[in-house]
Amino acid sequence: MSKINEFTKGFLKENPVLVLLIGMCPALATTTSALNGIGMGLATTFVLTCSNIVISLLSGVIPDKVRIPAFIVVIASFVTIVDLIMQAFVPTLYNTLGIFIPLIVVNCIVLARAEAFASKNGVFASFLDGAGMGLGFTTSLGVLGIIRELLGNGAIFGHKIIQGDGILVFILAPGAFIVLGYIIAIVNKIKKTQEA
Amino acid sequence: MHILNPNDSERRLNMAKIESTLKNMVLSLTLITIGASAALGFVYEITKKPIEVTSMKNKLEAIKAVVPSFDNTPGSEMFILPTDDGDSLEIYPAKVGDEIVAYAVKAGTQKGFSGFIGIMVGFKPDGTIINTSVLEHKETPGLGSKITDPGFREQFNGKNPENFSLKVKKDGGQVDAITAATISSRAFCDAIERAYNTLKKGGLI
C-alpha cells in the first residue's frame, strides 16, 4: 500500500464511521449541529494523529503484555491536553463540546488505530493514517451534523435559512440513527459502483 | 480492513520487541507515565492563566449584560448571601456614584435536564428583572440549549416576580416554555426564583 493510500483510505474505503462503524457514540451524540460535529471531529483528529505518532515511536519499548495500558496513558494525556487548550483558547467551542472531550479517551477509533496500525508501522505512515482516519471521521461527523441541523433546526452552521421549528426528531437520538443509516446506504452504493 | 487483517499478528511477531518480563513492564510503564505527567504539567501551567482570564471575562461580560451602566467595579464589591436551602449566591452590586442601581446575582439550579444551569440575573432595587444571561449549561443542543436564546429570555425582562408568576404556563404560571424543553424552561425559572428569593431574604429588595 503506497503512502498516499494510508491517508486517503480514511475518507471512503475504510471510513471509521461509515464503513468500519466504530466510534458511533460521539458520531451520534455530538452531531446535533454542523459546528459541534466538526469541532468534535477535529479534536479527535488531533488526539488520533498525536497518539499514533507517539505510539509508533514507542512501540519498540512497550512490552506486549502492557501495551494496552501504555496506549491508554498516551491517549488520555493527549485528550487532557486538548481539553485544557480548548478551555483556554476556544471557550465558546468548549462550552458546547466540553462534556464530550473526555469521551475521546474511550473512542474506539483511537485505540483501534493504535493497536492495529501505529504499533506496527513507521512514524510517517502512522501520522498519515491518523490524520486520514481523523479527517475521514471529521467529514462524516460534519455531513451528519449539516443534515441534522438543516432538517431539525432549519439552519446551516447556526444561520437560519428555513423559517419555523424544523423537524424535531432529527435533533434527537433517533434522527441521528436515521440520517446515519441513509448516509451509510449511499456510501455503500458509491463503493459498489466503484468496484464494478 | 486493518483490524481484521490476519497478517497483522504475523507482522508483530517479526518485529523486534522487548520481552514482557516483569522488570521491562514496570520500567516501560513507569517511564511512559512519567513522560505523560511531565507533558500534562507543562500544558496545565501554560493554560492556567488564559482559563482564569476567560472565566473572569465571561463573568464580567454577563454582569454588564444584565445591569444598566455603572461606574464602580462590581467584581471587587461582590458579597455572598445565603439561600433558603443552605447554599449561597454571589451578589454583584452595580452603583452610579454611591447609589445602587442594580444587583447582578449569580444563581444556579440543579434542576436542568442535564444537570447544573448557571445564570446571571440583574434586578433593580425594587425587584424588577432587568436582564438575564446564561453562564453555563449542559442542556440538549437544539432543544434545552435555547434557554440562551434572547427570544426566550426576553420575556422575563421588566417583570417583577412580585406579580409575575415564575412558572411555565403548563404549571399555571406566566412563562412561555420552550417547545419540547419544558424541563429546561422550568429550571431557568427556578434559578431566577432562587436569585429573587435570596435577595428578598437578604432584605435588599
Side-chain angles (χ1 to χ4, degrees):
Chain A
M1 204 187 276
S2 75
K3 293 276 186 223
I4 193 74
N5 257 340
E6 306 289 8
F7 182 71
T8 52
K9 67 173 191 271
F11 286 89
L12 197 62
K13 206 170 131 264
E14 288 184 26
N15 187 299
V17 177
L18 303 175
V19 179
L20 304 182
L21 296 184
I22 51 178
M24 286 289 107
C25 167
L28 297 172
T30 60
T31 53
T32 50
S33 75
L35 207 62
N36 285 0
I38 291 172
M40 181 67 187
L42 291 178
T44 311
T45 306
F46 176 81
V47 172
L48 189 53
T49 313
C50 294
S51 71
N52 258 13
I53 292 173
V54 171
I55 286 166
S56 95
L57 281 172
L58 291 177
S59 61
V61 295
I62 300 175
D64 256 355
K65 279 184 182 163
V66 291
R67 66 182 195 283
I68 301 290
F71 295 167
I72 291 288
V73 169
V74 172
I75 294 166
S77 308
F78 280 116
V79 170
T80 315
I81 288 171
V82 170
D83 191 80
L84 287 170
I85 287 176
M86 275 178 92
Q87 214 175 333
F89 302 110
V90 273
T92 30
L93 191 61
Y94 184 80
N95 281 343
T96 46
L97 285 182
I99 49 168
F100 297 117
I101 298 299
L103 290 180
I104 300 176
V105 179
V106 287
N107 185 333
C108 43
I109 296 175
V110 187
L111 189 60
R113 297 327 290 173
E115 167 74 1
F117 196 92
S119 61
K120 305 180 189 90
N121 286 280
V123 177
F124 188 58
S126 300
F127 163 75
L128 288 178
D129 176 77
M133 279 288 169
L135 291 175
F137 182 66
T138 310
T139 316
S140 345
L141 259 63
V143 171
L144 257 172
I146 289 170
I147 297 175
R148 289 182 63 192
E149 193 181 354
L150 182 65
L151 294 176
N153 252 339
I156 288 182
F157 292 99
H159 301 292
K160 205 93 172 136
I161 54 164
I162 303 168
Q163 288 310 311
D165 273 344
I167 311 163
L168 193 56
V169 72
F170 285 104
I171 295 293
L172 300 170
F177 283 101
I178 295 168
V179 175
L180 183 69
Y182 277 104
I183 297 178
I184 292 175
I186 293 167
V187 168
N188 279 348
K189 177 82 186 155
I190 295 173
K191 283 183 69 186
K192 274 222 177 90
T193 6
Q194 271 184 349
E195 279 160 19
Chain B
M1 214 183 277
H2 274 277
I3 303 176
L4 304 175
N5 191 342
N7 295 329
D8 281 350
S9 49
E10 282 170 39
R11 257 198 280 167
R12 167 174 290 133
L13 289 180
N14 295 338
M15 254 176 83
K17 277 263 178 189
I18 59 169
E19 268 184 81
S20 296
T21 59
L22 182 66
K23 195 189 107 209
N24 282 348
M25 290 196 284
V26 171
L27 202 67
S28 74
L29 264 188
T30 311
L31 287 178
I32 287 171
T33 41
I34 288 175
S37 323
L40 284 183
F42 177 70
V43 174
Y44 175 76
E45 278 304 317
I46 55 170
T47 53
K48 201 169 142 193
K49 206 65 202 255
I51 290 175
E52 266 172 27
V53 171
T54 332
S55 102
M56 226 18 237
K57 213 180 89 201
N58 284 347
K59 214 157 47 175
L60 271 181
E61 260 167 28
I63 295 175
K64 275 188 193 141
V66 299
V67 297
S69 56
F70 49 85
D71 55 15
N72 65 334
T73 48
S76 56
E77 291 176 41
M78 185 266 280
F79 55 92
I80 286 172
L81 275 185
T83 61
D84 295 330
D85 47 16
D87 203 2
S88 59
L89 301 183
E90 291 172 10
I91 319 279
Y92 300 87
K95 296 178 185 168
V96 174
D98 277 340
E99 192 194 352
I100 290 179
V101 290
Y103 295 104
V105 184
K106 186 174 173 253
T109 179
Q110 293 291 350
K111 291 183 184 164
F113 189 68
S114 326
F116 186 75
I117 298 178
I119 63 167
M120 187 74 85
V121 204
F123 290 97
K124 281 188 193 159
D126 66 359
T128 310
I129 298 166
I130 303 166
N131 202 351
T132 51
S133 168
V134 177
L135 296 171
E136 56 175 310
H137 74 90
K138 302 185 186 75
E139 302 305 282
T140 321
L143 291 174
S145 69
K146 285 185 181 154
I147 54 170
T148 57
D149 285 1
F152 171 70
R153 289 187 294 106
E154 272 164 10
Q155 61 177 311
F156 298 96
N157 299 0
K159 302 280 165 45
N160 191 329
E162 194 72 52
N163 48 35
F164 178 80
S165 171
L166 277 172
K167 280 198 169 82
V168 298
K169 285 185 174 156
K170 214 186 226 173
D171 302 340
Q174 287 172 280
V175 176
D176 278 316
I178 301 159
T179 316
T182 311
I183 296 177
S184 307
S185 312
R186 269 186 200 137
F188 191 82
C189 297
D190 179 62
I192 297 185
E193 195 154 22
R194 275 165 57 95
Y196 178 77
N197 288 344
T198 307
L199 275 185
K200 196 161 189 182
K201 197 169 152 236
L204 294 172
I205 49 175

